[in-house]
């Protein structure tokens, strides 16, 4: 079939429209401004050292000393050799951030609907419904870029899978391999893991259909091809996957060897995160209605209720000035659901919900049950510790959640089970668009459409009406922190909050009811032939945009943009930072005045912000550092401590007792367990004694367990060079000795050299490095040179070549067929 430019033009115009809409929503990027994202600010602080090192040397470091005493950069934006799939990703994200992610939302969903054989006009409407879903916009507002990135590629992965099942084997294989490669590039394995569940549900739907149609051979051929595509995608990302897999075992997501807590109580030993941590963010049953009514549960923890609100009046009554009351009313605690913190509701749109319900009565077959199954599956798991109508503080009260945490591989590696709602936020608009497909289809008779319209209007409109009429009977609008507000401001203030919550509930319920009736009116007008099909499409496009963008702008708008300089350089050094930076030596800083990554931006810091810290350092922090245990701070070479002063400022405490970068010890204290090792640190004379596990001492000293060393006044060790991935020391000692280094022990990449010859080193003091040093003068070097990066890069190169050959072969075959 000859190539036709006319077939391409409509899609090109749609793509142009997506670009315009993405830039229009985030229009300040056209003025050189950037979206201030709290999580990205934290990332900038964490990653500054590695970026500065790359700018100065041209070399990528896979270790940073700027956070948590030292950690790999694998989850801090590390750049790997031969990562060509990442280059493709950067090409697709050609728009300024965050407009690039919004464009990807549109693009991926549009392609999915086209693959499902939806008309391009309806596919474009579906892309808008998906892309402007409030949760997808909110995560951009707070800086969950990698999550948004992974979600954006989900529809593209599904497109490749569906093409393969449609017997377009080669195209399906290639699209799946590339899309899955891009999905993994996004580096949010929790989202990719949740996508796996939706793919499994899709696979079950196709398996049942194949069994009924007796085409199981085609089904298993498709599965085999898809498995190959996924393997190729994994190979394209081999370096990141292998490095992450290696790191996660040593992180807070891996197993712990401790069986006790700092207070002496028994610690639950798990292979992943604690259940109460996993389910801390769980949807309440009633909160799920914010998919349909945005501020059903008050919206977010910080809502602008305005000067006409009861909250404003309550602040004035408490003595606040008009400006103070107005300022506080812009961040009123309106959210009254079960979660600790909510930025905004996960609203998918009243119009989209209306069309979703409408589709339930008209759409048949595997597509419907896949999308409905995915929706119900995600919703049930998002309840977490809650159980339908019951909101329970007990983290193990939901048997379904319990089963997945205890029995489903990897499920207990991820927190915030509410995040799985991204699956229903994909399924609901997809099925909703098929409601429109069936509305405009001549294959369904008019009676069925009228019946579906009546039932849909009754269900959605009736539900909104019931909430309006009986809200006082169903809900008391009390929030989880109201007791605290009552104690601080009195009952009248809490009553004002509840009145405003009730008012927001009423406003948004009326809004959703109105949108439902307008949507029903569009369907009515079309069925009555008073409205042409194309005008009905325009009507739904405008209505969906009005609905979703109107709510999105409450939470992410032009006011959130600041100068690009402020985003790229989010931290300013205070007097304490400036004073410390005058010291050009090698040391660490502990800042007691902030929970941000500001200390990491300027110093080698004990602070940091990351969801997967090194587990042993995290243990050390929980046991001692957070309690300002000076003994432990000393062994980490904490020379400076920034603390608040009585005047509300900060002061710098210079810790003259810090052990320095490395020191000779007199004795190794052998312990039989990691519990003993970490407990011993409290009172350990760590300038002269180091703790070592009996298993490590026997492995390290292969001939015999040596525990005592002579250290005379001439023994010394000095650091001569300190880069993130390279440390050089010189030592002098008349006797054989043992040196403790104030560096985090991480065996997967750190290599020790004594006078140029690689030698082993060992973990001591639960977290640090130690090394036997023979008598005399020596040079000791530590290099972070992870083999996993070399291995992964070679695999990535080979797989990229294979993919390139397949693409070239496929194009050559296609051209040959056309000639």
């Amino acid at each position: 079939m000859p190539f036709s430019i006319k077939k391409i033009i409509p899609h090109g115009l749609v793509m142009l429209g997506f670009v315009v809409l993405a830039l229009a929503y985030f229009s300040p990027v056209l003025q050189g401004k950037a979206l201030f994202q709290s999580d990205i600010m934290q990332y900038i602080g964490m990653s500054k050292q590695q970026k500065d090192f790359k700018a100065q040397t041209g070399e990528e470091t896979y270790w940073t000393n700027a956070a948590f005493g030292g950690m790999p950069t694998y989850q801090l934006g590390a750049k790997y050799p031969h990562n060509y799939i990442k280059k493709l990703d950067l090409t697709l994200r050609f728009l300024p951030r965050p407009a690039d992610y919004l464009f990807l939302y549109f693009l991926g969903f549009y392609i999915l609907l086209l693959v499902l054989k939806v008309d391009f006009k309806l596919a474009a409407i579906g892309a808008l419904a998906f892309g402007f879903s409030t949760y997808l916009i909110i995560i951009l507002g707070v800086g969950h870029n990698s999550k948004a990135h992974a979600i954006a590629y989900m529809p593209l992965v599904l497109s490749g899978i569906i093409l393969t099942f449609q017997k377009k084997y080669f195209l399906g294989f290639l699209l799946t391999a590339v899309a899955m490669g891009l999905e993994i590039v996004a580096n949010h394995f929790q989202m990719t893991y949740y996508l796996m569940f939706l793919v499994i549900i899709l696979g079950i739907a196709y398996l049942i259909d194949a069994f009924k149609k007796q085409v199981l051979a085609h089904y298993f051929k498709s599965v085999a091809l898809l498995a190959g595509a996924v393997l190729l995608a994994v190979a394209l990302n081999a370096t990141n996957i292998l490095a992450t897999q290696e790191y996660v075992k040593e992180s807070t997501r891996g197993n712990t060897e401790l069986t006790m807590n700092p207070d002496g109580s028994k610690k639950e030993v798990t292979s992943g995160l604690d259940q109460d941590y996993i389910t801390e963010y769980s949807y309440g049953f009633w909160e799920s209605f914010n998919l349909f009514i945005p501020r059903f549960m008050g919206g977010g923890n910080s809502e602008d209720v305005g000067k006409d609100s009861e909250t404003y009046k309550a602040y004035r009554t408490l003595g606040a000035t008009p400006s103070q009351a107005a300022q506080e009313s812009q961040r009123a605690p309106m959210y009254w659901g079960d979660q600790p913190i909510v930025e905004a509701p996960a609203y998918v749109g009243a119009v989209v919900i209306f069309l979703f319900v409408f589709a339930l009565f008209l759409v048949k077959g595997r597509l419907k049950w896949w999308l409905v199954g995915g929706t119900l599956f995600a919703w049930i798991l998002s309840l977490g510790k809650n159980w339908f109508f019951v909101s329970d503080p007990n983290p193990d009260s939901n048997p379904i959640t319990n089963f997945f945490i205890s029995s489903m591989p990897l499920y207990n590696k991820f927190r915030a089970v509410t995040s799985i709602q991204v699956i229903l936020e994909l399924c609901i608009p997809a099925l909703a668009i098929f409601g429109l497909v069936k509305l405009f289809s001549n294959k369904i008779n008019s009676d069925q459409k009228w019946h579906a319209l009546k039932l849909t209007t009754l269900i959605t409109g009736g539900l909104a009406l019931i909430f309006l009429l009986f809200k006082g009977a169903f809900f008391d609008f009390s929030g989880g922190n109201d007791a605290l507000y009552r104690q601080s401001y009195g009952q009248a203030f809490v009553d004002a909050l509840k009145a405003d919550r009730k008012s927001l509930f009423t406003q948004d319920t009326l809004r959703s009811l109105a949108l439902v009736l307008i949507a029903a009116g569009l369907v009515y007008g079309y069925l009555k032939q008073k409205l042409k099909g194309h005008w009905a499409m325009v009507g739904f496009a405008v209505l969906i945009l009005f609905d979703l963008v109107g709510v999105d702008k409450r939470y992410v708008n032009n006011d959130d943009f600041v100068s690009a300089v402020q985003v790229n350089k989010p931290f300013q050094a205070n007097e304490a930072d400036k004073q410390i930076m005058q010291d050009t030596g090698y040391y660490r800083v502990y800042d007691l005045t902030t929970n941000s990554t500001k200390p990491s931006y300027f110093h080698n810091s004990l602070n940091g912000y990351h969801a997967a810290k090194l587990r042993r350092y995290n243990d050390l922090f929980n046991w001692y550092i957070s309690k300002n245990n000076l003994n432990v701070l000393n062994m980490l070479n904490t020379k400076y401590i920034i603390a608040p002063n009585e005047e509300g400022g900060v002061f710098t405490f210079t810790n003259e007792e810090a052990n320095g970068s490395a020191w000779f010890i007199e004795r190794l204290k052998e312990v039989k367990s990691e519990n003993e090792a970490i407990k011993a640190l409290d009172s350990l004379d760590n300038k002269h004694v180091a703790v070592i596990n009996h298993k490590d001492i026997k492995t390290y000293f292969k001939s015999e367990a040596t525990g005592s060393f002579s250290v005379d006044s001439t023994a010394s060790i000095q650091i001569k060079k300190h880069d993130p991935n390279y440390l050089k020391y010189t030592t002098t000692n008349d006797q054989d000795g043992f040196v403790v280094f104030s560096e985090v022990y991480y065996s997967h990449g750190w290599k020790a050299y004594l006078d140029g010859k690689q030698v082993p080193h060992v973990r001591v003091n639960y977290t640090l490095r130690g090394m036997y040093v023979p008598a005399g003068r020596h040079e000791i070097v530590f290099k972070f040179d992870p083999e996993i990066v070399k291995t992964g890069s070679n695999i990535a190169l080979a797989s990229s070549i294979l993919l390139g050959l397949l693409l070239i072969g496929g194009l050559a075959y296609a051209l040959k067929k056309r000639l």
Side-chain angles (χ1 to χ4, degrees):
M1 184 177 179
F3 176 79
S4 174
I5 193 69
K6 291 183 179 179
K7 292 183 178 180
I8 301 298
I9 290 175
H11 302 302
L13 292 174
V14 170
M15 293 299 110
L16 181 61
F18 290 161
V19 170
V20 170
L21 282 171
L23 291 174
Y25 188 89
F26 295 116
S27 58
V29 300
L30 299 174
Q31 303 164 15
K33 294 184 177 181
L35 184 64
F36 184 81
Q37 301 168 296
S38 56
D39 274 25
I40 297 304
M41 177 187 71
Q42 307 286 27
Y43 162 75
I44 290 172
M46 289 281 287
S47 62
K48 183 174 185 294
Q49 185 180 87
Q50 71 198 70
K51 291 180 178 178
D52 287 350
F53 184 76
K54 178 68 176 287
Q56 293 164 8
T57 66
E59 178 186 352
E60 185 76 25
T61 175
Y62 299 109
W63 186 271
T64 178
N65 284 319
F68 302 127
M71 66 180 290
T73 63
Y74 302 145
Q75 294 299 305
L76 291 173
K79 304 294 190 298
Y80 302 113
H82 305 305
N83 194 1
Y84 301 113
I85 191 72
K86 180 64 178 179
K87 295 183 187 300
L88 174 61
D89 168 62
L90 293 172
T91 302
L92 292 172
R93 292 192 291 118
F94 59 92
L95 292 178
R97 187 173 295 177
D100 56 344
Y101 292 123
L102 182 54
F103 174 77
L104 281 186
Y105 289 160
F106 295 151
L107 176 65
F109 205 78
Y110 180 72
I111 291 173
L112 173 62
L113 292 178
L114 291 179
V115 167
L116 289 169
K117 301 178 181 178
V118 175
D119 177 78
F120 80 94
K121 296 183 288 295
L122 292 178
I125 295 172
L128 301 181
F130 175 70
F132 282 121
S133 182
T134 301
Y135 180 78
L136 302 192
I137 298 297
I138 288 301
I139 59 177
L140 293 175
V142 298
H144 294 173
N145 288 0
S146 61
K147 179 184 284 189
H149 200 173
I151 293 168
Y153 285 129
M154 285 181 178
L156 207 58
V157 175
L158 296 169
S159 301
I161 293 170
I162 292 168
L163 275 174
T164 306
F165 280 118
Q166 290 174 350
K167 297 188 177 181
K168 298 174 182 177
Y169 298 121
F170 186 73
L171 183 59
F173 174 89
L174 286 180
L175 182 56
T176 303
V178 172
M180 193 65 204
L182 292 168
E183 172 70 26
I184 298 170
V185 158
N187 200 33
H188 200 295
F189 295 119
Q190 184 173 6
M191 294 300 102
T192 305
Y193 181 74
Y194 291 158
L195 172 62
M196 177 195 71
F197 288 122
L198 186 58
V199 170
I200 290 172
I201 295 169
L202 175 63
I204 292 171
Y206 269 109
L207 176 60
I208 294 171
D209 191 63
F211 181 78
K212 289 179 178 178
K213 295 177 180 178
Q214 297 183 346
V215 288
L216 287 174
H218 155 65
Y219 175 84
F220 288 112
K221 177 181 178 181
S222 299
V223 170
L225 283 170
L226 291 170
V230 171
L231 285 175
L232 181 56
V234 168
L236 292 169
N237 289 275
T239 317
N240 185 37
I241 291 174
L242 292 173
T244 300
Q245 183 184 41
E246 182 181 79
Y247 173 69
V248 79
K249 296 174 183 177
E250 305 295 332
S251 78
T252 50
R253 306 297 173 97
N255 298 333
T256 178
E257 295 182 62
L258 294 181
T259 59
M260 61 185 297
N261 293 307
D263 61 4
S265 61
K266 184 177 180 181
K267 181 181 182 68
E268 182 181 354
V269 179
T270 66
S271 60
L273 300 173
D274 293 335
Q275 183 152 337
D276 55 351
Y277 185 61
I278 293 170
T279 60
E280 181 182 12
Y281 287 84
S282 297
Y283 259 86
F285 173 83
W286 291 110
E287 189 170 359
S288 302
F289 285 100
N290 66 16
L291 297 167
F292 175 52
I293 299 169
R295 289 184 291 195
F296 189 91
M297 302 296 286
N301 286 87
S302 183
E303 290 280 337
D304 186 354
V305 292
K307 292 184 178 180
D308 295 329
S309 65
E310 295 300 317
T311 301
Y312 175 86
K313 296 173 186 176
Y315 276 118
R316 294 286 287 124
T317 302
L318 290 169
T321 65
S323 62
Q324 289 172 335
Q327 187 176 15
E328 293 298 327
S329 297
Q330 290 176 350
R331 53 190 184 208
M334 290 291 100
Y335 175 71
W336 50 282
D338 297 326
Q339 300 182 71
I341 299 174
V342 168
E343 290 287 338
Y347 181 62
V348 299
V351 179
V352 172
I353 291 292
F354 172 88
L355 291 173
F356 175 80
V357 176
F358 184 72
L360 291 177
F361 297 105
L362 296 178
V363 179
K364 309 294 182 184
R366 66 177 178 234
L367 174 74
K368 172 183 177 179
W369 297 119
W370 167 48
L371 295 173
V372 170
T375 299
L376 291 175
F377 176 84
W379 174 69
I380 290 171
L381 283 180
S382 73
L383 294 176
K385 63 187 176 186
N386 300 316
W387 186 234
F388 292 96
F389 291 95
V390 180
S391 293
D392 197 328
N394 185 354
D396 59 359
S397 60
N398 186 328
I400 297 177
T401 296
N402 292 345
F403 169 78
F404 273 81
I405 290 175
S406 63
S407 304
M408 183 60 64
L410 301 179
Y411 192 83
N412 62 2
K413 304 294 184 183
F414 307 111
R415 68 184 293 255
V417 293
T418 52
S419 296
I420 201 171
Q421 282 209 351
V422 299
I423 297 303
L424 66 81
E425 284 154 5
L426 187 154
C427 293
I428 288 175
L431 188 58
I433 291 304
F434 274 92
L436 286 179
V437 170
K438 297 301 181 183
L439 173 65
F440 298 122
S441 172
N442 295 324
K443 296 179 181 179
I444 297 179
N445 65 54
S446 181
D447 289 342
Q448 289 178 286
K449 296 175 184 178
W450 279 111
H451 180 69
L453 174 61
K454 291 174 185 176
L455 288 178
T456 300
T457 307
L458 181 65
I459 291 169
T460 55
L463 189 63
L465 193 60
I466 289 171
F467 285 139
L468 272 176
L469 296 176
F470 300 104
K471 55 181 177 286
F474 289 158
F475 313 113
D476 64 1
F477 300 94
S478 296
N481 293 322
D482 283 2
L484 179 62
Y485 299 133
R486 186 179 297 108
Q487 183 179 356
S488 301
Y489 305 116
Q491 183 61 43
F493 180 79
V494 174
D495 290 341
L497 293 178
K498 292 169 71 173
D500 284 335
R501 290 166 183 160
K502 189 173 184 179
S503 175
L504 294 180
F505 179 97
T506 302
Q507 291 171 29
D508 275 6
T509 304
L510 281 170
R511 180 184 187 275
S512 290
L513 177 59
L515 288 166
V516 162
L517 294 177
I518 294 171
L522 287 173
V523 177
Y524 178 88
Y526 174 75
L527 293 179
K528 278 289 189 179
Q529 299 183 349
K530 295 182 179 181
L531 193 64
K532 297 289 186 181
H534 62 274
W535 286 117
M537 290 184 193
V538 170
F540 273 109
V542 171
L543 197 59
I544 287 170
L545 282 173
F546 171 82
D547 182 10
L548 292 174
V549 173
V551 174
D552 295 342
K553 284 291 185 180
R554 295 175 182 175
Y555 302 101
V556 182
N557 51 55
N558 292 1
D559 294 339
D560 298 310
F561 284 81
V562 296
S563 70
V565 173
Q566 187 176 341
V567 170
N568 295 329
K569 297 181 178 179
F571 301 110
Q572 300 298 318
N574 58 29
E575 290 304 315
D577 295 316
K578 293 175 183 177
Q579 177 186 341
I580 292 169
M581 286 188 288
Q582 291 177 4
D583 184 343
T584 58
Y586 185 65
Y587 52 83
R588 289 193 178 84
V589 176
Y590 183 38
D591 193 334
L592 299 172
T593 66
T594 180
N595 290 322
S596 76
T597 59
K598 176 176 173 286
S600 301
Y601 191 80
F602 295 109
H603 314 290
N604 288 333
S605 169
L606 299 185
N607 302 76
Y609 179 89
H610 201 274
K613 301 179 281 291
L614 282 170
R615 183 183 64 255
R616 285 177 175 269
Y617 178 84
N618 191 58
D619 293 338
L620 202 65
F621 189 90
N622 291 335
W623 278 68
Y624 297 116
I625 299 173
S626 63
K627 299 171 184 176
N628 304 328
N629 184 295
L630 200 59
N631 199 42
V632 169
L633 292 175
N634 287 342
M635 78 175 195
L636 290 167
N637 193 22
T638 312
K639 187 175 180 180
Y640 297 103
I641 299 172
I642 302 175
N645 60 27
E646 294 180 355
E647 290 76 32
V650 299
F651 77 94
T652 304
F653 170 71
T654 302
N655 178 22
E656 302 292 351
E657 296 299 315
N659 291 13
S661 59
W663 59 99
F664 282 98
I665 60 163
E666 298 173 355
R667 184 166 63 90
L668 284 170
K669 179 181 178 180
E670 187 176 348
V671 294
K672 294 182 179 180
S673 69
E674 296 304 326
N675 286 346
E676 289 184 35
I678 199 166
K679 282 175 64 178
L681 296 179
D682 186 26
S683 57
L684 185 73
D685 178 12
N686 57 43
K687 287 183 174 62
H688 302 98
V689 181
V691 173
I692 186 168
N693 191 295
H694 73 104
K695 293 182 293 185
D696 293 330
I697 197 170
K698 289 178 180 178
T699 303
Y700 188 68
F701 295 98
K702 291 184 171 59
S703 57
E704 59 179 288
T706 304
S708 298
F709 305 92
S710 296
V711 181
D712 58 30
S713 58
T714 64
S716 69
I717 179 167
Q718 294 180 327
I719 189 164
K720 294 298 183 179
K721 186 174 182 181
H722 47 87
D723 289 331
N725 60 355
Y726 182 92
L727 299 165
K728 183 167 74 172
Y729 308 82
T730 57
T731 71
T732 301
N733 190 15
D734 290 338
Q735 307 289 329
D736 293 349
F738 192 91
V739 176
V740 175
F741 301 86
S742 62
E743 305 300 321
V744 169
Y745 180 87
Y746 188 78
S747 62
H748 309 293
W750 276 110
K751 299 173 183 177
Y753 298 86
L754 183 70
D755 299 327
K757 180 182 179 181
Q758 187 172 347
V759 294
H761 64 290
V762 66
R763 178 169 46 231
V764 296
N765 290 358
Y766 192 72
T767 313
L768 302 184
R769 303 175 204 167
M771 180 193 293
Y772 168 78
V773 180
R777 295 176 179 272
H778 300 284
E779 179 184 85
I780 297 173
V781 170
F782 278 97
K783 295 179 183 178
F784 192 64
D785 186 23
E787 292 296 328
I788 205 76
V789 172
K790 299 174 186 176
T791 302
S793 297
N794 289 334
I795 295 172
L797 175 60
S799 58
S800 297
I801 293 172
L802 175 60
L803 179 61
L805 291 174
L806 288 172
L807 285 170
I808 293 169
L811 287 172
Y813 179 74
L815 288 172
K816 184 178 179 181
K817 285 188 67 176
R818 291 179 184 276
L819 295 175

